[in-house]
Amino acid sequence: MLVFILNAGSSSLKYQLMNPIIKKVFASGLCERIGIDGVLKHEYNDGKKLTLEVSMPTHKEAIEAVLSTLTTGEGKVIDSINDIDAIGHRAVHGGEEFSGSVLVTDRVIETMKRLIPLAPLHNPANILGMEICQELMPGKPNVAVFDTAFHQTMPDYAYMYALPYDQYTKHGIRKYGFHGTSHYFVSNEARQMLDKKYNTRIVVCHLGNGSSVSAVLDGKCIDTSMGLTPVQGLMMGTRSGDVGAGALQYMMTQEKISIDDALNIMNKESGILGISGKSSDLREVLEGMQNGDDRCRLAVEMVAYNIKKYVGGYVAALDGIDALCFTGGIGENSALIREIVCSGLDGMGLNLDPTKNNKRRHDARDIATNSSTSRIFVIPTNEEYVIANDTFKVVSEIR
Ligand code: AMP
């Protein structure tokens, strides 16, 4: 079973060719600057790299270039696109319509089009990716794996905003949550790492350029920090996270800017970048902090403090905790952020072992002390595997 995984964004796309049964990746890569000029970065045969400049006026030329690179020339890993069994698409917003992965049909595409107002930047690119794959690989099954699906189990009292109820019934205004494939993967791994099989209470911190926390009870999400859109919740690389509506309106009045401009600031100029004034990349900001830059210090402390507040809130929501999990570029690599988040949480049963925390490793591991009543795990996420495996499962069901 060979799955071509596609994550199509507005001006870039990521891909992987994977056999989910044996968890083997044959190639992966990225097309950038679609609609401008076009660069294809291809990695194949366990680490060999290739960079190609290819004209990509639209996503179609980009996907054609990827398929050609997979099947011909130096980066070739398969003889023909006929070797691909199915295509798995990362799809961002499934609204309340999709609580699991589905075979892409005309109806699914129509529903995703109807959901475009909820994700105006992401859903159109996802749909385009699906339509192009249907055209370039006719007859191959396409599967949509939604970022929001895992969070569909949240109870109504967790996902509702306290706006007038008809805002929900008329427009679907509620929390949806994102990074679902990662929260699913990590919480599932954590359940296997725990001795306990029932009443498993897990908090997952997915900390990367985009970040979110979720509370997972017995494998089902009961709350998550992102909302109707990904701007809510934690402070992120360039997103502000939670900001009061009054502060937003006041900024708009003082700066004489539109709501679109204000949202652009909240999504692209805030977070770690906005506070540090240096970079959205935590590594660079940690370096700035070490060199005595006080705004970098502030950004790091705010990041950690925000995560800690959500962790505490979700431990309460779960009536306790069995495992706190860290994942994503920051969660997997920053011992300092993990240390600040866990400091003082002994009363919740979370006792971090500093030696285990500081050891640089890349596998899933427990960094709590032996005497800690709850576990603290670092678990590398694998969203592509979830997409490939779901694709395999959906395709197996229809065969
Ligand atoms: P992601 O979006 O999951 O790729 O994560 C990107 C974020 O992880 C960036 O802010 C990086 O600076 C951060 N990151 C990656 N490696 C490290 C590291 N060793 N220490 C601290 N932050 C890191």
Side-chain angles (χ1 to χ4, degrees):
M1 165 55 86
L2 214 47
V3 180
F4 178 59
I5 305 154
L6 190 66
N7 179 354
S10 53
S11 66
S12 68
L13 61 84
K14 288 187 196 149
Y15 63 91
Q16 246 189 45
L17 192 65
M18 183 195 282
N19 181 331
I21 302 167
I22 54 169
K23 276 195 177 177
K24 181 164 172 60
V25 177
F26 294 90
S28 63
L30 171 70
C31 292
E32 291 173 311
R33 300 176 63 84
I34 301 170
I36 306 165
D37 37 31
V39 183
L40 198 168
K41 291 178 183 160
H42 182 65
E43 206 170 316
Y44 61 108
N45 292 349
D46 297 323
K48 286 192 188 160
K49 288 185 181 150
L50 201 62
T51 300
L52 302 165
E53 280 176 26
V54 193
S55 166
M56 297 173 188
T58 70
H59 284 67
K60 187 172 174 195
E61 290 80 14
I63 296 175
E64 277 173 340
V66 171
L67 295 176
S68 156
T69 307
L70 290 170
T71 51
T72 55
E74 204 185 321
K76 171 178 164 169
V77 287
I78 49 174
D79 289 328
S80 117
I81 55 173
N82 288 331
D83 295 344
I84 296 172
D85 294 289
I87 303 112
H89 296 264
R90 178 184 179 214
V92 170
H93 218 306
E96 288 186 330
E97 315 298 330
F98 302 105
S99 54
S101 303
V102 291
L103 187 73
V104 176
T105 59
D106 291 349
R107 234 176 114 192
V108 167
I109 290 187
E110 249 169 56
T111 309
M112 283 188 70
K113 283 186 178 164
R114 200 162 38 75
L115 295 170
I116 285 175
L118 286 174
L121 294 179
H122 295 104
N123 274 26
N126 300 158
I127 295 166
L128 204 58
M130 291 169 191
E131 290 176 335
I132 295 167
C133 285
Q134 285 176 331
E135 186 189 332
L136 296 179
M137 292 177 271
K140 302 267 180 211
N142 286 265
V143 172
V145 181
F146 292 92
D147 244 21
T148 48
F150 180 62
H151 304 301
Q152 276 297 298
T153 48
M154 284 191 283
D156 52 5
Y157 56 80
Y159 69 65
M160 285 298 287
Y161 291 120
L163 293 167
Y165 193 79
D166 64 356
Q167 294 300 320
Y168 168 63
T169 50
K170 281 198 296 191
H171 308 299
I173 297 176
R174 52 159 282 183
K175 275 173 66 156
Y176 289 95
F178 298 87
H179 296 137
T181 47
S182 179
H183 287 287
Y184 163 73
F185 177 82
V186 172
S187 58
N188 203 37
E189 293 284 301
R191 285 182 86 200
Q192 288 168 36
M193 287 163 77
L194 284 171
D195 287 337
K196 212 173 158 194
K197 291 286 160 265
Y198 302 102
N199 192 30
T200 53
R201 299 158 302 174
I202 294 168
V203 174
V204 178
C205 301
H206 174 106
L207 311 174
N209 206 15
S211 298
S212 60
V213 188
S214 67
V216 184
L217 179 64
D218 279 333
K220 291 195 166 60
C221 176
I222 63 153
D223 206 348
T224 193
S225 58
M226 281 180 167
L228 178 96
T229 76
V231 77
Q232 192 182 334
L234 296 177
M235 169 177 166
M236 310 178 211
T238 62
R239 294 189 193 118
S240 62
D242 299 330
V243 169
L248 179 67
Q249 189 228 14
Y250 190 67
M251 176 175 80
M252 287 166 60
T253 311
Q254 295 302 309
E255 293 282 328
K256 298 185 180 57
I257 55 173
S258 67
I259 185 73
D260 284 349
D261 290 340
L263 278 172
N264 197 48
I265 292 175
M266 286 178 76
N267 274 299
K268 305 224 169 104
E269 298 173 20
S270 300
I272 297 174
L273 174 66
I275 294 297
S276 71
K278 201 179 185 77
S279 170
S280 62
D281 192 298
L282 186 74
R283 261 171 307 196
E284 289 179 26
V285 175
L286 285 167
E287 215 177 280
M289 179 175 82
Q290 272 152 15
N291 294 332
D293 184 321
D294 198 51
R295 277 176 58 183
C296 289
R297 186 260 330 144
L298 175 62
V300 172
E301 289 197 3
M302 284 174 71
V303 164
Y305 180 68
N306 267 289
I307 302 164
K308 188 171 176 173
K309 276 201 300 186
Y310 268 97
V311 169
Y314 286 172
V315 173
L318 288 161
D319 294 336
I321 184 165
D322 296 297
L324 171 64
C325 308
F326 290 96
T327 195
I330 296 171
E332 290 166 36
N333 297 301
S334 177
L336 180 67
I337 294 291
R338 294 193 300 252
E339 184 189 319
I340 307 175
V341 170
C342 294
S343 68
L345 297 188
D346 308 58
M348 291 179 174
L350 294 161
N351 193 232
L352 188 77
D353 183 319
T355 312
K356 290 180 190 166
N357 184 41
N358 284 307
K359 202 171 261 175
R360 284 196 67 79
R361 280 169 49 180
H362 298 289
D363 54 342
R365 57 202 184 274
D366 186 353
I367 55 169
T369 58
N370 292 342
S371 59
S372 178
T373 43
S374 305
R375 309 322 308 156
I376 306 171
F377 295 141
V378 177
I379 300 178
T381 195
N382 196 342
E383 295 171 87
E384 290 78 14
Y385 169 70
V386 175
I387 297 173
N389 200 42
D390 269 24
T391 302
F392 166 60
K393 284 195 275 190
V394 170
V395 170
S396 305
E397 276 163 23
I398 56 161
R399 277 189 175 154

